[in-house]
Amino acid sequence: MVKPEIDIVRAREDTPGCRTVLHFNNAGAALMPTPVLEVTMGFLQLEAKIGGYEAAKLSQSTVERVYEAVGVLIGCERSEIAIIENATRAWDMAFYAIPFQAGDRILTSVAEYGSNYIAFLQVARRTGAIIEVIPNDEFGQVSITALKNLIDERVKLIAITHIPTNSGLINPAAEIGAIAKAAKILYLLDACQSVGQMPINVQEIGCDILSATGRKYLRAPRGTGFLYVRQGLIEQLEPPFLDCHAAHWVSKDEFKIRSDARRFENWETNYAGKVGLGVAVDYALAWGLDAIWTRVSHLASTLRESLGDIKEVKLQDIGLEKCGIVAFTINGKNPQDICHELSKLNINTSVSGASSTRLDMEERGLESVVRASVHYYNSLAEIEFFCEAVTRIAVSA
Ligand SMILES: *Cc1c(COP(=O)(O)O)cnc(C)c1O
């Protein structure tokens, strides 16, 4: 089979932001493509014209399509999907539904995202559950051997960040899934940076729960995200919050919680963003996640190579196989200043600080890194321009 390829000219034409900025902050929020922008703004206009409830009713099939599209994207049923305002709250709705008891063990990764770890700490303090960090292997990813050795009957949850916010690392999600499955342990995957960047299939990974956001590699509007919960698990998880959408008030003293994953949603939502998310997913599917991933990894490795040629630059990515997030520092320069200097040249990057991934950053003695994250619509010319800019910053006094 011929490898699918991205038509880069069309991809850039479809992306208004490509005409105004060099955007290497796709791990922060990627640039929306025109179809996403149009459907989102169109929905707001419809709300203004005919009324919010009326717009939702008229667009029912478009809204329902969002669940269908996400199901196709990650390989699950629509009933296993909840659309939630961001990845953190999606993750929370599942995590805080797990009934922990004193002595239960939570196994997590060195690269775990700050908000997730704060939730572990809170639940550990409330319940007496124990947080244990799986050590990394020699490549800097979750050690499968170490994980195997940590498994016992007290392990209640394995919660892993697939791709961290601060580096190119890709944790071995499917190998972890196989271990979780064999030991019948709940497996929660934070796939916030991987969904939209590479093919993700929950059956192949073997996770029970997965959370993701819309605005990052999926290119959807901000304030969108989703949660996947495996069918057999949904009714065992009582959401930490309920409302008239998540549950029915059936009689004065009784309520009944929905049986599908929408029990993790809440009633009021940003419909414009939601339909935008659906179109963003369909748009990604139309390119093909294999094609997207091939292009993203090619651009990222080109960027790493070029940055690696600059004497003062230190690449800060770990892991065996690396993704579209390229982290680096420059000797003697503050990452915040580098990011600021780049922004003066109309180049978007971001800075990832210790508190987003504290365990990893402390282990590596890092306070912050510059994060240059590429997407398929970025170009080799942009990489060249970027590296010239970084070189100038590196040699400047
Ligand atoms: C950005 C990010 C999150 C949080 O996503 P939100 O949509 O901002 O809640 C979670 N995990 C990782 C790894 C992230 O990079």
Side-chain angles (χ1 to χ4, degrees), residues 167-241:
S167 86
L169 166 70
I170 308 170
N171 268 322
E175 284 94 324
I176 295 166
I179 294 171
K181 204 168 237 172
K184 297 196 172 63
I185 295 167
L186 273 186
Y187 177 23
L188 162 53
L189 188 68
D190 174 343
C192 201
Q193 294 289 3
S194 47
V195 168
Q197 177 172 182
M198 60 180 60
I200 294 290
N201 183 298
V202 291
Q203 320 299 337
E204 281 165 24
I205 290 173
C207 55
D208 300 292
I209 307 163
L210 176 146
S211 56
T213 206
R215 74 179 186 282
K216 295 180 179 173
Y217 277 88
L218 277 176
R219 313 181 64 190
R222 295 195 65 172
T224 59
F226 67 83
L227 174 70
Y228 155 80
V229 181
R230 180 174 53 75
Q231 186 58 54
L233 181 63
I234 296 171
E235 294 199 75
Q236 294 171 39
L237 292 181
E238 186 171 319
F241 314 117

Side-chain angles (χ1 to χ4, degrees), residues 86-89 113 161 163-165 190 192-193 213 215-216:
N86 57 60
T88 303
R89 197 40 45 90
Y113 187 64
T161 294
I163 290 178
T165 206
D190 174 343
C192 201
Q193 294 289 3
T213 206
R215 74 179 186 282
K216 295 180 179 173

Side-chain angles (χ1 to χ4, degrees), residues 90-132:
W91 187 98
D92 286 341
M93 288 304 282
F95 174 71
Y96 283 94
I98 301 169
F100 289 101
Q101 289 175 351
D104 284 346
R105 299 166 73 205
I106 300 170
L107 304 186
T108 189
S109 58
V110 177
E112 202 61 12
Y113 187 64
S115 299
N116 304 351
Y117 208 87
I118 289 170
F120 296 150
L121 290 170
Q122 187 189 31
V123 162
R125 200 169 63 187
R126 279 183 187 168
T127 65
I130 299 157
I131 312 162
E132 285 176 62

Side-chain angles (χ1 to χ4, degrees), residues 41 49 54 90 112 119 122 146 153 199 262 388:
M41 296 200 306
K49 211 160 79 185
E54 293 72 15
E112 202 61 12
Q122 187 189 31
E153 66 289 341
R262 294 187 205 190
E388 282 165 15

